[in-house]
Amino acid sequence: MLKLNSGKTDFLIVASPRYRHLISGIVLTIGGTVIEPSTSIRSLGVEIDANLKLNRHVSSLSSSLHFHLSNIARIRPFLDQSACEHAVRALVSSRIDYANSLLCGTSALNVKRLQRAQNRAAKLVFRAKKYDHVTPFLQQLHWLPVEKRITYKILTITYKCLNNSAPNYLRKLLRKHQTARPGLRSSNDPALLAVPRTNTCTGDKSFSSAAPRLWNNLPQNVRTSSSLSQFQKSLKTFLFNT
């Protein structure tokens, strides 16, 4: 008994440029209204384009981050450092971290745009000058750089999958590594995951492929952490040191 609003209905065709010409001219008809495919759609706050590159999402997110940073900068003279840090965490860091696992494998330019916003946020907290080196400020705030925050999110989800605290549809994507050659170093490490073969760059970015690769690169003592909080603490320390 769901009533569809044709004026608010979008659909997206996702395909590589190589095959896009084979699926041109597709339209949907809902309630007498003809709906043509969109170049991008927004789902749960994430803007997805037909190439799954998330460039438009990063552009929109970057604009939002700098908008909030400008607003915080206006009232910065009236805030102490602690209050400013809380404002930045609530309005900027939370947006950088939201659904950031989807950015695995995104372009270096997209990461750079988000990193620029995080750097501006750190300097705002410490009232630093424009050309001051930002690394000491990120370390004092204990903020991982954007690229490592993406890795942190994926590995946290992976740990939850392996400990049955993640949705079943995610747990099904991961398999334990099995080797037919006993005596190898990998055969003595039961915490390793099997890395599936992929033939495309998009496949390499998928959770089922990226998560095992990142997981297997962790030290064994991090992978075998006894609790989620201990894993996150050890993981953050590892990422800071690498």
Side-chain angles (χ1 to χ4, degrees):
M1 303 299 293
L2 178 66
K3 182 178 180 180
L4 296 179
N5 187 335
S6 57
K8 296 182 179 180
T9 300
D10 290 319
F11 82 97
L12 182 73
I13 298 175
V14 178
S16 66
R18 178 180 179 182
Y19 296 105
R20 185 166 298 280
H21 69 282
L22 299 176
I23 52 176
S24 61
I26 298 177
V27 296
L28 293 180
T29 302
I30 298 179
T33 301
V34 177
I35 303 173
E36 296 185 354
S38 302
T39 56
S40 65
I41 60 172
R42 182 175 292 273
S43 177
L44 299 176
V46 178
E47 193 165 357
I48 305 172
D49 58 37
N51 296 317
L52 294 182
K53 293 186 180 298
L54 296 176
N55 293 339
R56 297 186 63 165
H57 171 68
V58 171
S59 295
S60 176
L61 176 58
S62 180
S63 297
S64 175
L65 295 175
H66 287 289
F67 170 78
H68 289 291
L69 285 170
S70 296
N71 286 338
I72 297 173
R74 292 189 183 97
I75 62 172
R76 181 64 181 91
F78 310 102
L79 301 175
D80 59 23
Q81 182 172 311
S82 177
C84 182
E85 182 180 347
H86 279 84
V88 167
R89 288 181 183 273
L91 298 175
V92 178
S93 297
S94 61
R95 285 177 165 81
I96 292 176
D97 291 338
Y98 177 73
N100 63 343
S101 58
L102 296 175
L103 296 174
C104 177
T106 191
S107 67
L109 177 61
N110 284 339
V111 173
K112 185 177 180 180
R113 296 181 68 181
L114 298 180
Q115 188 61 57
R116 190 180 297 120
Q118 188 190 46
N119 293 348
R120 182 184 174 190
K123 291 180 179 180
L124 183 60
V125 171
F126 289 98
R127 307 187 75 169
K129 296 180 180 179
K130 181 178 181 180
Y131 295 104
D132 286 346
H133 193 51
V134 74
T135 301
F137 304 132
L138 294 175
Q139 291 175 343
Q140 288 185 58
L141 292 168
H142 211 55
W143 289 358
L144 287 169
V146 169
E147 189 170 13
K148 291 186 177 181
R149 294 173 91 96
I150 297 170
T151 299
Y152 178 88
K153 176 68 72 62
I154 293 174
L155 289 173
T156 298
I157 297 173
T158 304
Y159 182 89
K160 291 181 178 180
C161 288
L162 297 177
N163 290 272
N164 299 319
S165 57
N168 191 45
Y169 72 90
L170 286 176
R171 298 203 305 267
K172 288 181 178 179
L173 297 176
L174 303 178
R175 295 184 298 105
K176 292 291 183 70
H177 173 75
Q178 296 180 349
T179 179
R181 297 175 60 188
L184 294 177
R185 182 175 60 86
S186 59
S187 65
N188 298 322
D189 191 345
L192 291 177
L193 294 175
V195 181
R197 292 184 179 180
T198 56
N199 298 320
T200 63
C201 293
T202 303
D204 292 339
K205 299 174 186 177
S206 65
F207 179 77
S208 60
S209 178
R213 288 199 311 271
L214 294 172
W215 179 262
N216 292 347
N217 287 332
L218 290 176
Q220 187 174 11
N221 65 301
V222 177
R223 285 186 268 113
T224 55
S225 298
S226 58
S227 65
L228 177 61
S229 60
Q230 180 61 42
F231 172 77
Q232 291 175 321
K233 181 179 179 180
S234 301
L235 174 61
K236 196 168 187 179
T237 300
F238 171 75
L239 292 176
F240 262 116
N241 294 331
T242 56

